[in-house]
């Protein structure tokens, strides 16, 4: 119900845009978010957007470099990533949180993940 795409290999300082297409119950969620998981580390919150109101939320590590946006007509959420750094290398997951007010809380649905690799 969540299909993530757009990952790849990019040099440091470059940009990538991730997409997450939602279907079924997922696009009626309160929040759509992006998380990432580096090898040997736990999955961490990156960014989220309120599906109805459009408010956005970011982790400090990506604030000012990443932008989350949505297209309600296409039921798609995007993550524009600029000024990428090697430490941004991870598998990126999109998620949907159906209820609740915390954009960093427990998510109900997950996409399959897309690999982002930033070379130095």
């Amino acid at each position: 119900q969540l299909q993530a795409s757009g990952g790849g290999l990019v040099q440091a300082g470059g940009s990538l845009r991730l997409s997450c297409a939602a279907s079924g119950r997922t696009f009626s969620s309160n929040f759509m978010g992006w998380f990432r998981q580096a090898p040997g580390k736990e999955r961490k919150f990156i960014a989220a957007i309120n599906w109805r109101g459009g408010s956005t939320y970011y982790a400090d590590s990506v604030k000012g470099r990443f932008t989350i946006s949505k297209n309600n007509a296409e039921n798609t959420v995007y993550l524009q990533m600029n000024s990428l750094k090697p430490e941004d290398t991870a598998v990126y997951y999109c998620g949907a949180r159906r209820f609740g007010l915390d954009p960093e809380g427990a998510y109900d649905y997950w996409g399959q993940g897309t690999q982002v690799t930033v070379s130095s």
Side-chain angles (χ1 to χ4, degrees):
Q1 296 191 346
L2 292 175
Q3 185 72 32
S5 61
L9 173 64
V10 65
Q11 288 188 331
S15 298
L16 282 174
R17 189 177 81 156
L18 306 183
S19 300
C20 178
S23 61
R25 292 183 176 182
T26 57
F27 66 79
S28 63
S29 301
N30 273 2
F31 297 103
M32 296 290 291
W34 288 96
F35 291 69
R36 68 186 180 190
Q37 186 168 18
K41 297 187 177 181
E42 62 183 19
R43 190 176 299 185
K44 290 188 176 181
F45 170 80
I46 294 299
I49 188 166
N50 182 281
W51 189 251
R52 297 173 181 81
S55 297
T56 57
Y57 310 85
Y58 297 95
D60 288 341
S61 59
V62 305
K63 202 171 292 184
R65 299 189 297 124
F66 292 9
T67 303
I68 189 170
S69 61
K70 63 184 178 71
N71 183 323
N72 289 64
E74 297 183 356
N75 298 326
T76 301
V77 174
Y78 303 97
L79 185 68
Q80 177 67 42
M81 305 185 295
N82 298 329
S83 302
L84 283 162
K85 305 175 182 179
E87 51 263 44
D88 294 318
T89 295
V91 177
Y92 284 68
Y93 297 90
C94 64
R97 177 169 164 81
R98 293 195 66 199
F99 306 108
L101 302 178
D102 180 5
E104 299 186 39
Y107 277 60
D108 302 289
Y109 302 102
W110 294 98
Q112 83 283 11
T114 184
Q115 176 70 46
V116 172
T117 303
V118 184
S119 62
S120 57

